[in-house]
Every structure is written in C-alpha cells, then in structure tokens.
Amino acid sequence: MENDNTVLLNPPLFALDKDAPLHYAGEICGFRVHNGPSGSGSVQFEAVVLDRSTGEGLVRSKEPLDCESQREHSFTIQAYDCGEGPDGVNSKKSHKATVHVRVNDVNEFSPVFVERRYEASVPEGRLFDRIVRVEALDADCSPQYSQICFYDIITPNVPFAIDNDGNIKNTEPLDSKRQRVHTFWVTAFDCGKNRAQADAQVVITVKPSCKPGWIGWTKRVEYTPGSGSIPLFPSLHLETCEETVWNIQATVELQTGHIGKGCDRDSYSDRSVRRLCGAVRGEVDLLPPPSPAANWTSALPTLPSSDSSLVFSFNGSNHVAVVPDSVVTALSGDHFTLQLWMRRGGANIQPSTTQTRGNRKEEETIVCSTVRNDDSFSHYSLSVHGCRLSLFYWPDVSAARPVKFLWKLEQVCDSEWHHLSLSVQFPSVTLYVDGVTFDPALIHDNGAIPNPAPRQRMFIGACWEPEEKQKEILNNTIPEGKDSGDLPVFTYVGGYHGLLSGVTVRPGSVEPHSVVECLYACREGLDFGDLETLGSGMKVHVNPSQSVLVLEGDDIESFNRAVQQVTYRNSLRFATPGVRPLKLTTSLRCFNEESCLSLKQLEGYLVVLQPDAPQISLSGVGPHLARPAPEFEGPRGVPLFPELRIVCSLSHAVNTAAQGMEGGALMSDAVAHTLDGCEVQPLGEELNPEREELLVDMDVVRERGLEIINTTAYIAITGAESISVYEDVLRSVRYRLAKGSARFERRFRLSCSEMNGRYTSNELTLEVNFLHSLDSLYHPSHLLASQQQFLHPSHHAGELSGHTLPNPHRNSVVPGAATVIIMVCVGFLVVMVILGVFRIRSIHRRGEGARGGAKEGSSQWDDSALTIIVNPMESYESRMGISADTEGEVEEDEEVAESPDDASDDQRIIIKKEGRDGNARRY
C-alpha cells in the first residue's frame, strides 16, 4: 500500500534446503536483494528471515512507498543457508527469484482545474452543443482516483449545462439585449468523490446576431474641390463571423464615364490642352467647329459635352466629312501623328464566333486619306472591325504593296471614350490607347479597297469607292479641281458608327510619349494612401485610368487597414460637380469551400460639390479715354487699355463665430489662374472698316500660341494662358481711325472668361472721346482774340473729368461738345445783334415822333445787360457730371436765365440738349 513499507507477496516468501533437518546445513540464514531491471531494488527493499527451519521470509521497504513517484518496482532475491557450522562455512546460495512490487494508490489528492477562468463568446439566438470546455486534473496515480468522474455547475439558475467531460452548452437561446454577459462557477469530482480544491469561473459573452459583410459602409461620400485626396472608406471593416478565410479580394470601381470623355479633365479646348502638355505645334483640326471658313462639318450632328470639345456623331451611312483639298495639301509626307477621341456606338458590337469570313460585318472607316509625297501618292485608312483596330497603309499607290497594321483591343468595342494617338514614321508605327503603348501584328495584304486615284482627298467617317456611273454623294459633293472632268464620282463605303472628337493630324516627327500621356491624363481617380503602411501579403493594383482599384490579401486585419487607405483624388481646382457612382465587390476563399461566405456587392456614390466660383476682376481702365483726334489717326492708333489689371480671386465662407463675430463672412484669396478667352466688343454700331479698326500686337499673340478672331463686331482672343500673358496682349489693343473720321465718342466693352466660359469676369466699359483743335474749326479773329473767355485758367489742368489730356496748353484744344456749344452761342450772338439793331431803329423812330428831335445820345444802345459770357470747359464738365458743386452752379445759372427781371452784367445763357444716352445734358 502507498505510504506503507510492508510488501504483501503472492505467493509468500519461502526457501527450502534439502539438507534439512540437519542443523545449520538445512536452515536458511538469510536473503539477499539484488538490483532488478529498475536498478533500485537493493536500495529501497530488504528481505529478512522469519523462521530458519521453515525458510519463511519477509520483504519490506526501507521507506514508505509513493505511488505518484514510482508505481511499480522489480528486483531479484536469493536465499542462502547457514553452512556447516556456526561460522557459516561452505554456505550455499539458491537460485534468484524475481519479485514484482506494485504500489497500491491511496486517494490523497483532489482535482485541480487547468484554468481558473474560462471565457467564450457566442452569437445570440442559437443553441450550441458546446460553447466552452473546462478541464480538471487529479495527481493520484491510479485510474480510480486520478480520473474526473463528473463536473457540476454550482451557480444556480443559469441557462447552461455541463457534461462529465466538461463541455458547457446553453439550454436555451441567448439574448444579448436581455443579458450580454453570463458568469457562473463550476467544480469537479474524481472517482474517489474528492471535490476540487478550487472552483473555476466561466464567463460567456453573448454577441448580437452576426451577418457576414462590410461594417461601416457609407453610401454617400462628399468631396470638396481643391481638398486633394480624401479616404473613401475611413471606418470600413470586414466581418467574417469567425469564418476562417485564406484569401480576400476586393474591387473598388469608380464610374466616371458620364463625365466628359471618361473622367474629369481640363475644361479647355483640345488645342489649348495640347499646348499646355508641350505638344509640337502645327496640328490640323480635321473636325473643326462649323464656320464659314470650315464648312465641311456643318452637316454633321453634334452632341453636348461637359468640356470645351465638340463631339460629332456618325451614323455609319450619310454622316461623312469631306476635308477640302486646301487642308489636305498641308498634310503631305509619310511621317505624321493622328490623334482622336473615339467612342463606338451600340451596346454589343463584338462579332459572333460562328460568323464566317464571307458574312462578317464590314469594316468601319474612321479616316481615309490619300496624300502627296513629292512625286508620288500614299494612302492610309484607319478602321475598326469588331474589337480590332487596323491601319491600312500604302507607301506608294502605284508601286509598293500595302501593309496592314492590326491591333486587337477591348477598348475598341466597350462603348466607352478612349484616346487614340497613332504615330506613323513608316515603316515604324506606334499606337497609344489611353496613354498605353500597344504593339501591332503586321499583315501584308493586297488591299481591301481598289487602288485609290492619284489625287489628294480625305474623308472622315467613311471611305470612297469608285463607280462607273456618276452618282451624287449623299448630302455631300467632292470638291472639284481644274481637272475634275477626268475624275470619277465616289460613293461612301465602310461608314463609321459612333462618336468622334478632337481629330487632328500633325505632319512631321512623331509625338513624344510624355505628351500623349498628358493629353489623356485624368485629373480624378482612385489612389492608395500610403504604400508603406501596406501589410505583408497585401497587393494593390490600379488600372491606367485609375477608375478600378483591386486589393488582395490573406489577413483580415491587414486587409481592413488597407481598405481604409483607398482614396479619391481630383487635381482640378474647379472640378466638374456631380455624382460619381461607387461599387465595392468582394470575393472570399475559405478552407472549407462549401461553407465559404458570399458577400453582396455594395453600391454608393461620390458627390463632387460645386467649387467656389472665382471672381475675375478687370480694372485699371477709366470709364473715359480722351485723346486728340490726330493721335487716333496715327499709324499705330491709341492703346485702349494701357493700364489694364486682371486679378482672379476665390471667395469662400469663413466661420467667424470662433472670433466672437456674429454671422458669417467671406474671405477672398488671390490665386494663380489660367484664362481661356477675352473679347473686345464695340458697343452700338459695328466698326466701319473704311474709317476705323482695332489693332493687336500679333507677335505677342503668335509667340504665346493664342488664337485671334478680328471682325468688325468684336475681337476674340482664345487659348489657355496665364493672366500676365492676357494682360500683355490686351494692353497692346489699339484703336485707329482714318484721316478725318474722328467722331464725338465711341464705346468699347471688355470681358474675359476661363474654364471654357464657365466663369466670366466683370464687363469693363470704356468711352473714347476725340478732342478736336479750335484752329481747325474757327478762323474769325474776334474768336481768337477772346480765347481767354473760352478757356478759363482754372481749367488748364492735365486731367479733365477723368479724361487724360496729354501736353495741356491754354490754347491747344477744347472738347468736341464744347465746339458745338461755341457754334450755337455764336449763332445766338448774331441773333441778339440783329435784335439790337431792330431795337435801335425802333427807339430812334419813337424819339423822332415824340420830341421832333432827339438828343444825339438817345440813339445809342446801352448793351451792358447783353454781355454774353460762355465758359465751354465748365459746360463740358457739367455734361460729364464731374461734381455736384458744378451742377449746383448750373442750376443757379438756370434761375438767372429764367428770371426776366434780372438783367445783370453777369448774365449767362443756358441751353439743354438731349445726349445720345437719353439723359439731359447741360451746357
């Protein structure tokens, strides 16, 4: 038994000697213990003789045995007799016998739990076979006392049960709203009915119902233009409901196909964007806006566009543009770059795989052209067929064989806007689609169309086919030259169905790749915040247009952090406002493919708010400009806006509550802007080209790459450039008159705009006055002698009522309006003289009749009350309304003139006249 030293042998220990009953020789004197397999028998055990004559012995342990330290012992025992005498001479030994000792266990230990506290969490509303398992151990060595026979929950009234293996389950569905956390105690008993020394605590948390999917999804995201990049999903994370996944893939899609040509770009004309991107000049616009100079696009229908480009629609039949010979002549040579925006029509134009070669659809021709190369003619045509783009090129239509360059592209048939740039430097051809290079497969062919006639011509939207019978081309006629009688009439074949915009050809060297990327570059798209924070095993991929971003990883925590780093950026300060739909598609792969989670697609939208409108302010030009008429008649004329200043600023609301102010306020920040057009327009009647004209410094215009339209109705300067450039150009605008064509006044209006006219400036109105010389109008000597009365010294200043008078001199010039006043006053003076003569004669007659003779002095007329003082400068000032004081003086003068009883020497004559603007002007 454990904790005892007595060994109970079975059978009992006896040793027999055949020499019995001889004395000594037949007796057993002792037992010797030898090491057994365990090697510890001789140390722990000993054997003693109980009866020499019978040979009975006893085996006992030197110390009490411990079952837990060693349960079994094995050793050998050997007996020896007493020999032939008391001295033990010639003692004999027996053979060795093996002794196996098994220590019987005593239930001295109680069960002990492995953990003092057990925690688990379960979803609500379900019954589980096992939520958590508790475990207790017993240190006893025997199966009887070391095994745990049963467990027990000692906390009453809990909805849980425990089995003999320690598995805890719920006895009823749990409700997180009623009780979120359940805490109770359990104990254990071994098979010897010993209870555990210490009970264990169990804590079970009830989770709300778990639905796999994204948590924290915001359907609406707002973006303020000018705020750089913003995170789209700052609090989004994936809930898998404890499902083990080993691969996660999420695709974020930003739909911008309805914004311009696929995304938000600079709202400038194609020509301006090319200049801003550093493209080589010299391109020829094959689809220009319809105008008297470019009428070959007038029959094509157009569609509205959010940017400044003009979109032309082609129906595949009668919508064809025939480029004039004068334009085609400038496109000679076998080195050129063809660029265009294209959007194929139709929902599904992918040809069926069952179609045979005989019934497949006809190619749709975008551009078909024959140009002159020195003494020969070359031909090329750009066509689409299904999802293939082909360039058919003939270096020499009379000798060389044609070559067909073929590309298979998904962009050709997805019914979306795409930018194509085709650089031909034969035999090398480079194609860029949306800024990405694609290599062609060369196919030698004899040609899909008959040999074109050796004559320059270019069609947009179709190609030509010669016929024997002369037909009239649908809604168009081919321009005829001098030798048109020898040329056949063509009909259209291979009509293009879709939209085209910005079709340009530039002869010469090919376009650099950086320029092509700039022309296509979107100013908005998806991006990833910080790649350095990307966890291990994570992958990020963004398509070239930055409209699709794909995340892939295997760790949920790293994946959640990566999703929160997905951002939207828009580099345009005046982004196009509107809605951009968002989609998030998730794919999960689990170890157990049968029970793997499936998440539905999330849909939302990004709202780009209306940007703060810029205020374009034109200043530095007075409302009046007065110059002598000879300066306008000079070879260079007079500059209209020499001190023009253009300032562009942004006004935005400012929260003034933090500053202790009531209400709100507006702050204006000066920003660097790019204007795209200014217009100078004469008000009233248009310019008379025989008498007047507006001049512009064309060197400055050409140097900056701007375009100008100069007509009698307006001058329009267009092109994206900085404010300083437009200031230099507008300051060079001059107004010139022919000899003797000076009028009394001419008014002009100046306005500017940016972002394709989306934002306009204030209208600056300038009134031009022509100052005429007195010497050229009046020759009587009495007027020259009395010039002091017309030009008062107080009015000899350099500026007169906002008019700048160069080189002021006392008898130089007077305003044109003053000249009219002088003429009226002179006529009035003549009338007064005539009336005075009649008065003298009537007085003379009355004197002769009353007194028969009058004194000599009675025939003289006292004209002191008829002294006329005319100040033309003062009347001119009153006409312009320069001050209220002057008007007050004029009103007082009117009272004097209207009073018949007042005949002082300082009498003035006041005349009212209606001006051109309808207001009463006083002189």
Side-chain angles (χ1 to χ4, degrees), residues 790-852:
F790 293 94
L791 298 179
H792 195 275
S794 61
H795 297 283
H796 283 232
E799 294 183 357
L800 179 62
S801 180
H803 300 70
T804 303
L805 300 177
N807 300 327
H809 195 268
R810 59 177 297 175
N811 57 357
S812 58
V813 293
V814 292
T819 304
V820 177
I821 297 173
I822 294 174
M823 296 175 63
V824 173
C825 292
V826 170
F828 188 80
L829 178 62
V830 173
V831 173
M832 295 300 295
V833 170
I834 295 175
L835 292 176
V837 172
F838 279 105
R839 180 180 178 183
I840 294 172
R841 295 183 62 183
S842 62
I843 293 174
H844 180 68
R845 290 174 182 175
R846 287 196 301 268
E848 288 181 353
R851 291 179 292 272

Coordinates of all heavy atoms in Angstrom, one line a residue, residues 790-852:
F790 N -13.1 131.8 -73.3 CA -13.5 130.4 -73.5 C -12.7 129.4 -72.7 O -13.2 128.4 -72.2 CB -13.3 130.0 -75.0 CG -14.3 130.7 -75.9 CD1 -13.9 131.9 -76.5 CD2 -15.6 130.2 -76.1 CE1 -14.8 132.5 -77.3 CE2 -16.5 130.9 -76.9 CZ -16.1 132.0 -77.5
L791 N -11.4 129.7 -72.5 CA -10.5 128.9 -71.7 C -10.1 129.5 -70.4 O -9.3 130.4 -70.4 CB -9.3 128.5 -72.5 CG -9.5 127.8 -73.8 CD1 -8.2 127.5 -74.5 CD2 -10.2 126.5 -73.6
H792 N -10.9 129.2 -69.4 CA -10.6 129.8 -68.1 C -9.4 129.2 -67.5 O -9.1 128.0 -67.6 CB -11.8 129.6 -67.1 CG -11.8 130.4 -65.9 ND1 -11.1 130.1 -64.8 CD2 -12.4 131.6 -65.6 CE1 -11.2 131.0 -63.9 NE2 -12.0 132.0 -64.4
P793 N -8.5 130.0 -66.9 CA -7.2 129.4 -66.3 C -7.5 128.3 -65.4 O -6.6 127.4 -65.2 CB -6.6 130.6 -65.7 CG -7.1 131.8 -66.3 CD -8.5 131.5 -66.7
S794 N -8.6 128.3 -64.6 CA -8.8 127.2 -63.6 C -9.0 125.8 -64.3 O -9.0 124.8 -63.6 CB -10.0 127.5 -62.8 OG -11.2 127.6 -63.6
H795 N -9.2 125.8 -65.6 CA -9.5 124.5 -66.2 C -8.3 124.0 -67.1 O -8.4 123.1 -67.9 CB -10.7 124.6 -67.2 CG -12.0 125.0 -66.4 ND1 -12.7 124.0 -65.7 CD2 -12.6 126.1 -66.3 CE1 -13.7 124.6 -65.2 NE2 -13.7 125.9 -65.5
H796 N -7.1 124.6 -66.8 CA -6.0 124.2 -67.6 C -5.2 123.1 -66.9 O -4.0 123.1 -66.8 CB -5.1 125.4 -67.9 CG -5.6 126.3 -69.0 ND1 -4.9 126.6 -70.1 CD2 -6.9 126.8 -69.1 CE1 -5.6 127.4 -70.9 NE2 -6.8 127.6 -70.3
A797 N -5.9 122.1 -66.3 CA -5.2 121.0 -65.6 C -5.0 119.9 -66.6 O -5.5 119.8 -67.7 CB -6.1 120.5 -64.4
G798 N -4.1 119.0 -66.1 CA -3.7 117.8 -67.0 C -4.9 116.9 -67.2 O -5.0 116.2 -68.2
E799 N -5.8 116.8 -66.2 CA -6.9 115.8 -66.3 C -8.2 116.6 -66.2 O -8.3 117.5 -65.5 CB -6.8 114.8 -65.2 CG -5.6 113.9 -65.3 CD -5.7 112.8 -64.3 OE1 -6.6 112.8 -63.4 OE2 -4.8 112.0 -64.3
L800 N -9.2 116.2 -67.0 CA -10.4 116.8 -67.1 C -11.5 115.8 -67.0 O -11.8 115.0 -67.9 CB -10.6 117.6 -68.4 CG -11.9 118.3 -68.6 CD1 -12.1 119.4 -67.6 CD2 -12.0 118.9 -70.1
S801 N -12.1 115.8 -65.8 CA -13.3 114.9 -65.5 C -13.0 113.4 -65.9 O -13.7 112.8 -66.6 CB -14.5 115.3 -66.3 OG -15.6 114.5 -66.1
G802 N -11.8 112.9 -65.5 CA -11.5 111.6 -65.8 C -10.9 111.3 -67.1 O -10.5 110.2 -67.5
H803 N -10.7 112.4 -67.9 CA -10.1 112.3 -69.2 C -8.6 112.7 -69.1 O -8.3 113.7 -68.5 CB -10.8 113.2 -70.2 CG -12.2 112.9 -70.4 ND1 -13.2 113.1 -69.4 CD2 -12.9 112.3 -71.4 CE1 -14.3 112.7 -69.8 NE2 -14.2 112.2 -71.1
T804 N -7.8 111.9 -69.7 CA -6.4 112.2 -69.7 C -6.0 113.1 -70.9 O -6.2 112.6 -72.0 CB -5.5 111.0 -69.7 OG1 -5.9 110.2 -68.6 CG2 -4.1 111.2 -69.6
L805 N -5.6 114.3 -70.6 CA -5.2 115.3 -71.7 C -3.7 115.4 -71.8 O -3.1 115.9 -70.9 CB -5.8 116.6 -71.5 CG -7.4 116.7 -71.4 CD1 -7.8 118.1 -71.1 CD2 -8.0 116.2 -72.7
P806 N -3.1 114.9 -72.9 CA -1.7 115.0 -73.0 C -1.2 116.4 -73.3 O -1.9 117.1 -74.1 CB -1.4 114.0 -74.1 CG -2.6 114.0 -75.0 CD -3.7 114.2 -74.0
N807 N -0.1 116.8 -72.8 CA 0.5 118.1 -73.0 C -0.5 119.2 -72.9 O -0.8 119.9 -73.9 CB 1.2 118.1 -74.4 CG 2.2 117.1 -74.6 OD1 2.9 116.8 -73.6 ND2 2.4 116.5 -75.8
P808 N -1.0 119.5 -71.8 CA -2.0 120.6 -71.6 C -1.4 122.0 -72.0 O -0.3 122.3 -71.5 CB -2.4 120.5 -70.2 CG -1.3 119.9 -69.5 CD -0.7 118.9 -70.5
H809 N -2.1 122.7 -72.8 CA -1.7 124.1 -73.2 C -3.0 124.9 -73.3 O -4.1 124.4 -73.6 CB -1.0 124.0 -74.6 CG -0.3 125.3 -74.9 ND1 -0.9 126.3 -75.5 CD2 1.0 125.7 -74.5 CE1 0.0 127.3 -75.6 NE2 1.1 126.9 -75.1
R810 N -2.9 126.2 -73.0 CA -4.0 127.1 -72.8 C -4.8 127.2 -74.1 O -6.0 127.4 -74.0 CB -3.6 128.4 -72.2 CG -2.7 129.2 -73.1 CD -2.4 130.6 -72.6 NE -3.6 131.4 -72.5 CZ -3.7 132.6 -72.0 NH1 -2.7 133.1 -71.3 NH2 -4.9 133.2 -72.0
N811 N -4.2 127.2 -75.2 CA -5.0 127.4 -76.5 C -4.8 126.2 -77.4 O -4.6 126.3 -78.6 CB -4.6 128.7 -77.2 CG -3.1 128.7 -77.4 OD1 -2.4 127.8 -77.0 ND2 -2.7 129.8 -78.1
S812 N -4.7 125.0 -76.8 CA -4.5 123.8 -77.6 C -5.8 123.3 -78.3 O -6.0 123.4 -79.5 CB -3.8 122.7 -76.8 OG -4.6 122.4 -75.7
V813 N -6.6 122.7 -77.4 CA -7.9 122.1 -77.9 C -9.0 122.3 -76.9 O -8.8 122.7 -75.8 CB -7.7 120.6 -78.1 CG1 -6.7 120.3 -79.2 CG2 -7.2 119.9 -76.8
V814 N -10.2 122.1 -77.4 CA -11.4 122.1 -76.5 C -12.2 120.8 -76.9 O -12.0 120.4 -78.0 CB -12.3 123.3 -76.6 CG1 -11.5 124.5 -76.1 CG2 -12.7 123.6 -78.1
P815 N -13.0 120.3 -76.0 CA -13.7 119.1 -76.4 C -14.7 119.3 -77.5 O -15.1 120.5 -77.8 CB -14.5 118.8 -75.1 CG -13.7 119.5 -74.0 CD -13.1 120.7 -74.6
G816 N -15.0 118.3 -78.2 CA -15.9 118.4 -79.4 C -17.3 118.9 -79.0 O -17.9 119.7 -79.8
A817 N -17.8 118.5 -77.8 CA -19.1 119.0 -77.4 C -19.0 120.5 -77.2 O -19.9 121.3 -77.5 CB -19.5 118.3 -76.1
A818 N -17.9 121.0 -76.7 CA -17.7 122.5 -76.5 C -17.7 123.2 -77.8 O -18.2 124.4 -77.9 CB -16.4 122.8 -75.7
T819 N -17.2 122.6 -78.8 CA -17.2 123.2 -80.2 C -18.7 123.5 -80.6 O -19.0 124.5 -81.2 CB -16.5 122.3 -81.1 OG1 -15.2 122.1 -80.7 CG2 -16.5 122.9 -82.5
V820 N -19.5 122.5 -80.4 CA -20.9 122.7 -80.7 C -21.5 123.8 -80.0 O -22.3 124.7 -80.5 CB -21.7 121.4 -80.5 CG1 -23.2 121.5 -80.8 CG2 -21.1 120.2 -81.3
I821 N -21.2 123.9 -78.7 CA -21.7 125.0 -77.9 C -21.3 126.3 -78.4 O -22.1 127.3 -78.5 CB -21.3 124.8 -76.4 CG1 -21.9 123.5 -75.9 CG2 -21.7 126.0 -75.5 CD1 -21.4 123.1 -74.5
I822 N -20.0 126.4 -78.8 CA -19.5 127.7 -79.3 C -20.2 128.1 -80.6 O -20.6 129.3 -80.7 CB -18.0 127.6 -79.6 CG1 -17.2 127.4 -78.2 CG2 -17.5 128.8 -80.3 CD1 -15.8 127.1 -78.4
M823 N -20.5 127.1 -81.4 CA -21.2 127.4 -82.7 C -22.6 127.9 -82.4 O -23.1 128.9 -83.0 CB -21.3 126.2 -83.6 CG -19.9 125.7 -84.0 SD -20.0 124.2 -85.0 CE -20.9 124.7 -86.4
V824 N -23.3 127.2 -81.4 CA -24.6 127.7 -81.0 C -24.6 129.1 -80.4 O -25.4 129.9 -80.7 CB -25.3 126.7 -80.0 CG1 -26.6 127.2 -79.5 CG2 -25.5 125.3 -80.7
C825 N -23.6 129.3 -79.6 CA -23.5 130.7 -78.9 C -23.2 131.8 -80.0 O -23.8 132.9 -79.9 CB -22.4 130.6 -77.9 SG -22.8 129.6 -76.5
V826 N -22.4 131.4 -80.9 CA -22.1 132.4 -82.0 C -23.4 132.8 -82.8 O -23.7 133.9 -83.1 CB -21.0 131.9 -82.9 CG1 -20.8 132.8 -84.1 CG2 -19.7 131.9 -82.2
G827 N -24.1 131.7 -83.1 CA -25.4 131.9 -83.8 C -26.4 132.8 -82.9 O -27.0 133.7 -83.4
F828 N -26.4 132.4 -81.6 CA -27.2 133.2 -80.8 C -26.8 134.7 -80.7 O -27.6 135.6 -80.6 CB -27.2 132.6 -79.4 CG -28.3 133.2 -78.4 CD1 -29.6 132.8 -78.5 CD2 -27.9 134.1 -77.5 CE1 -30.5 133.3 -77.6 CE2 -28.8 134.6 -76.6 CZ -30.1 134.3 -76.7
L829 N -25.5 134.9 -80.7 CA -24.9 136.3 -80.7 C -25.4 137.0 -81.9 O -25.7 138.2 -81.8 CB -23.4 136.2 -80.6 CG -22.7 137.5 -80.6 CD1 -23.1 138.4 -79.3 CD2 -21.2 137.3 -80.6
V830 N -25.3 136.4 -83.0 CA -25.8 137.0 -84.3 C -27.2 137.4 -84.2 O -27.6 138.5 -84.5 CB -25.5 136.1 -85.5 CG1 -26.1 136.7 -86.7 CG2 -24.0 135.9 -85.7
V831 N -28.1 136.5 -83.6 CA -29.5 136.8 -83.4 C -29.7 138.0 -82.5 O -30.5 138.9 -82.8 CB -30.2 135.6 -82.9 CG1 -31.7 136.0 -82.6 CG2 -30.2 134.5 -83.9
M832 N -28.9 138.1 -81.4 CA -29.0 139.2 -80.5 C -28.6 140.5 -81.1 O -29.1 141.6 -80.8 CB -28.2 138.9 -79.2 CG -28.7 137.7 -78.4 SD -30.4 137.9 -77.8 CE -30.1 139.3 -76.7
V833 N -27.5 140.4 -81.9 CA -27.1 141.6 -82.6 C -28.2 142.2 -83.6 O -28.5 143.4 -83.6 CB -25.8 141.4 -83.4 CG1 -25.5 142.5 -84.3 CG2 -24.6 141.1 -82.4
I834 N -28.8 141.2 -84.3 CA -29.9 141.6 -85.2 C -31.1 142.3 -84.3 O -31.6 143.3 -84.7 CB -30.4 140.4 -86.0 CG1 -29.3 140.0 -86.9 CG2 -31.7 140.8 -86.8 CD1 -29.6 138.7 -87.7
L835 N -31.4 141.6 -83.2 CA -32.4 142.2 -82.4 C -32.0 143.5 -81.8 O -32.9 144.5 -81.7 CB -32.8 141.2 -81.2 CG -33.4 139.9 -81.6 CD1 -33.6 139.0 -80.3 CD2 -34.8 140.1 -82.2
G836 N -30.8 143.7 -81.5 CA -30.3 145.0 -81.1 C -30.4 146.1 -82.1 O -30.8 147.3 -81.8
V837 N -30.1 145.7 -83.4 CA -30.3 146.7 -84.5 C -31.7 147.1 -84.6 O -32.0 148.3 -84.8 CB -29.7 146.1 -85.8 CG1 -30.1 147.0 -86.9 CG2 -28.3 145.9 -85.6
F838 N -32.6 146.1 -84.6 CA -34.1 146.5 -84.6 C -34.5 147.4 -83.5 O -35.3 148.3 -83.6 CB -34.9 145.2 -84.7 CG -35.0 144.6 -86.1 CD1 -34.3 143.4 -86.4 CD2 -35.8 145.2 -87.1 CE1 -34.3 142.9 -87.6 CE2 -35.8 144.6 -88.3 CZ -35.1 143.5 -88.6
R839 N -34.0 147.1 -82.3 CA -34.3 147.9 -81.1 C -33.8 149.4 -81.3 O -34.5 150.3 -81.0 CB -33.7 147.3 -79.9 CG -34.0 148.1 -78.6 CD -33.4 147.4 -77.4 NE -33.7 148.2 -76.2 CZ -33.2 147.9 -75.0 NH1 -32.5 146.8 -74.9 NH2 -33.5 148.6 -74.0
I840 N -32.6 149.5 -81.8 CA -32.1 150.9 -82.0 C -33.0 151.6 -83.0 O -33.3 152.8 -82.8 CB -30.7 150.8 -82.5 CG1 -29.7 150.2 -81.4 CG2 -30.2 152.2 -83.0 CD1 -28.3 150.0 -81.9
R841 N -33.4 150.9 -84.0 CA -34.2 151.6 -85.1 C -35.6 152.0 -84.5 O -36.1 153.1 -84.8 CB -34.3 150.7 -86.3 CG -33.0 150.5 -87.0 CD -33.2 149.6 -88.2 NE -34.0 150.3 -89.2 CZ -34.4 149.8 -90.4 NH1 -34.0 148.6 -90.7 NH2 -35.2 150.5 -91.2
S842 N -36.1 151.1 -83.7 CA -37.5 151.4 -83.1 C -37.4 152.6 -82.2 O -38.2 153.5 -82.1 CB -38.1 150.2 -82.5 OG -37.2 149.8 -81.4
I843 N -36.3 152.6 -81.3 CA -36.2 153.7 -80.4 C -36.0 155.1 -81.1 O -36.5 156.1 -80.8 CB -35.0 153.5 -79.4 CG1 -35.3 152.3 -78.5 CG2 -34.6 154.7 -78.6 CD1 -34.1 151.8 -77.7
H844 N -35.2 155.0 -82.2 CA -34.9 156.2 -83.0 C -36.2 156.7 -83.5 O -36.5 157.9 -83.6 CB -33.9 155.9 -84.1 CG -33.6 157.1 -84.9 ND1 -32.9 158.2 -84.4 CD2 -33.9 157.4 -86.2 CE1 -32.7 159.1 -85.4 NE2 -33.3 158.6 -86.5
R845 N -37.1 155.8 -84.0 CA -38.3 156.3 -84.6 C -39.3 156.9 -83.5 O -39.9 157.9 -83.7 CB -39.1 155.1 -85.3 CG -38.3 154.7 -86.5 CD -39.0 153.4 -87.1 NE -38.3 152.9 -88.3 CZ -38.6 151.8 -88.9 NH1 -39.6 151.1 -88.5 NH2 -37.9 151.5 -90.0
R846 N -39.3 156.2 -82.3 CA -40.2 156.8 -81.3 C -39.7 158.1 -80.8 O -40.5 159.0 -80.5 CB -40.2 155.8 -80.1 CG -41.1 154.6 -80.4 CD -41.4 153.9 -79.0 NE -40.2 153.5 -78.3 CZ -39.6 152.3 -78.4 NH1 -40.1 151.5 -79.3 NH2 -38.5 152.1 -77.7
G847 N -38.4 158.3 -80.7 CA -37.8 159.6 -80.3 C -38.2 160.7 -81.3 O -38.4 161.9 -80.9
E848 N -38.1 160.4 -82.6 CA -38.4 161.4 -83.6 C -39.8 161.8 -83.5 O -40.2 163.0 -83.7 CB -38.0 160.9 -85.0 CG -36.5 160.9 -85.2 CD -36.1 160.4 -86.5 OE1 -37.1 160.0 -87.3 OE2 -34.9 160.4 -86.9
G849 N -40.7 160.9 -83.3 CA -42.2 161.2 -83.3 C -42.6 161.9 -82.0 O -43.5 162.7 -82.1
A850 N -42.0 161.7 -80.9 CA -42.4 162.3 -79.6 C -41.9 163.7 -79.4 O -42.5 164.6 -78.9 CB -42.0 161.5 -78.4
R851 N -40.6 163.9 -79.7 CA -40.0 165.2 -79.4 C -39.6 166.0 -80.7 O -39.1 167.1 -80.6 CB -38.8 165.0 -78.5 CG -39.2 164.6 -77.1 CD -38.0 164.4 -76.3 NE -37.2 163.2 -76.7 CZ -37.5 162.0 -76.3 NH1 -38.5 161.8 -75.5 NH2 -36.7 161.0 -76.7
G852 N -39.8 165.4 -81.8 CA -39.4 166.0 -83.0 C -38.0 166.1 -83.2 O -37.5 166.4 -84.3

